[in-house]
């Protein structure tokens, strides 16, 4: 039989923890921008150079070339990049996150990613003749099938995208 003497502190800690989790966005939805920057448009994409990770040996990897087409409705953004649709959120801080899935791998794999994401920041035009741009990180997850089973790898590159 329990005395019940730990009921109050346990309840307070549990309730406080639930409030903190809810306010930090865990299990909830993130609010997009209320005063959104004009991020929508067509962007020329440039990925930073680099080598593929060794885990990509034997996996067909084709990095995106662009352009990146961005549409915005309030804080909700949708983009297409090399035929892959990405969806996400734009925030008042001008930060954004986009995530999407690509083609299903076929025997031997797809060249494009199974899934990809873009996280970054919208940078408005500065001065006369300035051009808005996006800067951040692109990540693609690739897979291919082989006799030894499916092989997977992930590639990350920083990017700059300039509005055309």
């Amino acid at each position: 039989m329990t005395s019940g003497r730990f009921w109050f502190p346990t309840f307070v800690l549990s309730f406080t923890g639930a409030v903190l989790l809810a306010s930090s966005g865990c299990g909830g939805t993130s609010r997009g921008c209320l005063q959104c920057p004009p991020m929508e448009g067509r962007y020329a994409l440039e990925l930073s150079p680099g080598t593929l990770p060794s885990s990509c040996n034997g996996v067909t990897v084709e990095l995106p070339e662009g352009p990146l087409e961005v549409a915005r409705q309030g804080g909700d953004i949708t983009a297409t990049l090399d035929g892959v649709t990405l969806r996400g959120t734009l925030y008042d801080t001008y930060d954004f996150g986009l995530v999407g899935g690509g083609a299903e791998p076929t025997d031997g794999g797809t060249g494009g990613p199974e899934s990809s994401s873009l996280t970054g920041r919208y940078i408005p035009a500065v001065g006369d003749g300035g051009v808005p741009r996006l800067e951040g990180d692109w990540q693609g997850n690739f897979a291919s099938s082989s006799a030894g089973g499916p092989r997977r790898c992930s590639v990350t590159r920083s990017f700059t995208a300039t509005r055309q």
Side-chain angles (χ1 to χ4, degrees):
M1 189 150 120
T2 60
S3 66
R5 64 182 166 174
F6 292 111
W7 178 85
F8 180 74
T10 303
F11 171 77
V12 171
L13 289 175
S14 298
F15 179 75
T16 303
V19 169
L20 287 173
L21 285 174
S23 67
S24 68
C26 292
T29 58
S30 299
R31 288 188 44 177
C33 53
L34 297 176
Q35 296 185 3
C36 303
M39 181 179 166
E40 59 276 6
R42 181 181 175 106
Y43 293 82
L45 180 75
E46 184 177 328
L47 296 178
S48 65
T51 58
L52 295 177
S54 61
S55 61
C56 288
N57 291 341
V59 177
T60 304
V61 173
E62 292 179 17
L63 301 179
E65 296 178 4
L68 175 66
E69 302 270 354
V70 179
R72 180 184 63 81
Q73 186 168 24
D76 296 328
I77 51 178
T78 303
T80 56
L81 178 60
D82 291 357
V84 175
T85 300
L86 306 160
R87 296 186 190 328
T89 305
L90 175 62
Y91 300 97
D92 285 321
T93 59
Y94 292 17
D95 292 322
F96 67 89
L98 288 160
V99 177
E104 291 294 319
T106 58
D107 193 29
T110 63
E114 279 187 317
S115 64
S116 61
S117 66
L118 288 166
T119 55
R121 176 169 282 177
Y122 170 79
I123 301 170
V126 177
D128 289 340
V131 179
R133 68 185 190 280
L134 308 174
E135 292 184 353
D137 291 314
W138 169 85
Q139 180 178 17
N141 298 302
F142 297 86
S144 66
S145 300
S146 64
R151 295 184 56 99
R152 299 189 180 286
C153 74
S154 180
V155 178
T156 302
R157 295 277 192 279
S158 60
F159 75 88
T160 300
T162 307
R163 186 178 288 160
Q164 297 179 320

